[in-house]
């Protein structure tokens, strides 16, 4: 496993850092292009849509991607801020690296808010997006620190996969999307390494009973994230109907909702928890039985009936 360090992450962060205005300057969406790649979109399984409909679906999905990332960063930033305070007087490199991490997440929240506004302007209406960010942040921050850090680590690693595996080499995507994801990837790369260090720190002093509680809490957090994905998939479907100025028949709704939810579960849960760096960390802080419990919870999500047409 690579040896991460707070000081090196901070150095790399200063090298990769970008200004919000510079990224927003490049964020001008083109409605004739796709805004999300096939691997992060339900469009590939939306057989009932023509090419224009599939393109519109990716445009609606970019809004919810930006919204959901801003949503999770609303609990990541305060959590990392609290962790930074642990080092304030005793470990300057760790304090500086985690404080800088917090500041970058605040910048990303502003970036994603601006992106959502630009999507609304480009599509010509205010898209419906899942609410309750403050309650969700309170719920998450009330959970065991080890569990919260495992969730955050999975989220940060998934951003690496999204850009490197799905976007960097897709020349058919809107250049605005590619620039946006590239900027986020550049700064998230350091975050994932700092999450790794902080997760090890959280687990190192835990007794077996507390580790069990951390795994219980992690499963609750995964179910909570899935609840958000369910609600946003329903809203994406409503946004798509508005975007295309048409209503879907029940069979079409079922197909589209299934495609949207499957893509969101991959994008926001599975692409993170299956990342090799996350798996290495997870194996270091949990037992095989605990990992099996989490895997079972993830498998159960796939079998849930979801849409009331
Ligand atoms: Fe971020
Ligand atoms: Fe991050």
């Amino acid at each position: 496993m690579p040896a991460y360090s707070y000081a090196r992450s901070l150095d790399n962060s200063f090298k990769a850092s970008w200004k919000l205005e510079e990224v927003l300057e490049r964020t001008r969406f083109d409605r004739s292009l796709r805004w999300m790649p096939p691997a992060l979109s339900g469009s590939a399984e939306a057989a009932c849509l023509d090419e224009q409909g599939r393109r519109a679906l990716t445009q609606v999905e970019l809004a919810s991607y930006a919204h959901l990332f801003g949503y999770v960063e609303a609990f990541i930033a305060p959590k990392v801020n609290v962790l930074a305070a642990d080092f304030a007087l005793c470990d300057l490199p760790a304090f500086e690296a985690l404080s800088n991490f917090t500041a970058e997440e605040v910048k990303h929240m502003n970036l994603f808010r601006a992106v959502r506004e630009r999507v609304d302007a480009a599509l010509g209406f205010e898209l419906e997006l899942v609410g309750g960010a403050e309650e969700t942040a309170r719920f998450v921050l009330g959970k065991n620190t080890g569990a919260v850090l495992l969730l955050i680590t999975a989220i940060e690693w998934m951003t690496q996969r999204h850009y490197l595996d799905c976007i960097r080499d897709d020349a058919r995507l809107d250049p605005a999307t590619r620039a946006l994801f590239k900027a986020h990837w550049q700064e998230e790369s350091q975050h994932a390494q700092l999450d790794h260090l902080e997760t090890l720190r959280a687990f190192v002093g835990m007794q077996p009973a507390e580790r069990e509680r951390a795994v219980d809490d992690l499963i609750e957090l995964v179910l909570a994230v899935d609840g958000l994905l369910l609600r946003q998939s329903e809203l994406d479907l409503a946004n798509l109907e508005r975007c295309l100025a048409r209503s879907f028949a029940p069979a079409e709704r079922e197909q589209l909702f299934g495609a949207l939810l499957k893509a969101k579960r991959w994008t926001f849960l599975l692409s993170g928890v299956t990342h090799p760096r996350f798996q290495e960390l997870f194996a270091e802080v949990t037992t095989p039985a605990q990992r099996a419990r989490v895997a079972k919870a993830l498998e159960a999500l796939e079998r849930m009936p979801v849409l009331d047409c």
Side-chain angles (χ1 to χ4, degrees):
M1 191 184 296
Y4 302 133
S5 91
Y6 293 97
R8 200 161 39 248
S9 285
L10 184 63
D11 275 352
N12 289 336
S13 174
F14 286 153
K15 285 176 198 146
S17 184
W18 39 263
K19 286 194 171 134
L20 185 58
E21 315 83 77
E22 289 168 1
V23 174
L24 287 175
E25 176 64 29
R26 297 194 294 270
T27 309
R28 298 173 193 281
F29 293 112
D30 179 345
R31 286 208 64 186
S32 71
L33 297 171
R34 289 186 173 216
W35 295 358
M36 288 291 278
L40 305 179
S41 164
S43 57
E45 296 197 8
C48 64
L49 295 178
D50 60 13
E51 181 50 34
Q52 185 214 353
R54 290 181 191 199
R55 195 165 57 233
L57 181 59
T58 69
Q59 296 171 353
V60 160
E61 288 174 310
L62 178 69
S64 55
Y65 186 99
H67 179 63
L68 288 169
F69 253 93
Y71 202 103
V72 297
E73 286 172 341
F75 63 75
I76 295 176
K79 186 68 190 176
V80 177
N81 200 31
V82 168
L83 296 170
D86 290 346
F87 294 106
L89 300 176
C90 59
D91 187 334
L92 205 54
F95 175 70
E96 290 181 354
L98 293 170
S99 299
N100 182 64
F101 177 168
T102 305
E104 287 181 346
E105 292 297 28
V106 170
K107 181 171 66 174
H108 299 176
M109 287 157 70
N110 281 274
L111 172 69
F112 287 128
R113 266 199 293 274
V115 167
R116 277 157 38 203
E117 286 168 9
R118 286 170 192 222
V119 172
D120 284 357
L123 298 188
F125 67 98
E126 189 176 337
L127 279 83
E128 290 187 71
L129 299 164
V130 72
E134 184 179 330
E135 298 98 289
T136 302
R138 286 184 193 283
F139 170 79
V140 173
L141 294 174
K143 297 296 175 192
N144 175 282
T145 288
V148 177
L149 279 166
L150 281 170
L151 176 67
I152 293 174
T153 308
I155 291 169
E156 312 273 25
W157 283 122
M158 73 179 61
T159 65
Q160 305 302 288
R161 201 168 218 177
H162 295 173
Y163 179 67
L164 295 175
D165 295 359
C166 310
I167 287 176
R168 183 178 58 179
D169 301 322
D170 187 345
R172 293 164 308 166
L173 271 181
D174 190 325
T177 297
R178 296 176 78 190
L180 172 68
F181 277 73
K182 182 178 182 183
H184 198 222
W185 160 71
Q186 285 172 321
E187 293 190 345
E188 291 294 321
S189 174
Q190 283 68 246
H191 298 183
Q193 296 178 18
L194 293 170
D195 294 331
H196 183 103
L197 292 171
E198 285 300 289
T199 306
L200 291 177
R201 182 166 78 94
F203 274 89
V204 75
M206 278 191 206
Q207 296 302 308
E210 195 184 352
R211 286 176 185 247
E212 278 295 302
R213 273 202 303 282
V215 172
D216 290 342
D217 279 6
L218 179 62
I219 291 170
E220 271 196 63
L221 290 171
V222 165
L223 294 176
V225 170
D226 197 61
L228 285 177
L229 303 182
L230 277 162
R231 281 155 55 204
Q232 188 56 54
S233 295
E234 287 173 351
L235 295 174
D236 277 9
L237 191 48
N239 289 331
L240 181 64
E241 286 186 318
R242 181 137 182 220
C243 191
L244 296 174
R246 60 168 286 200
S247 294
F248 295 111
E252 292 173 320
R253 288 178 61 76
E254 190 173 349
Q255 179 190 87
L256 290 170
F257 182 81
L260 276 161
L261 183 60
K262 184 176 171 188
K264 279 193 175 22
R265 281 176 169 159
W266 166 255
T267 304
F268 288 97
L269 283 171
L270 299 175
S271 64
V273 298
T274 59
H275 192 290
R277 297 285 90 74
F278 177 84
Q279 293 268 308
E280 287 165 4
L281 175 67
F282 197 34
E284 203 163 328
V285 298
T286 55
T287 64
Q290 289 167 339
R291 293 195 289 284
R293 283 208 289 133
V294 175
K296 201 170 158 193
L298 285 166
E299 282 164 21
L301 298 179
E302 310 259 328
R303 296 193 295 273
M304 281 184 182
V306 284
L307 183 63
D308 177 10
C309 292

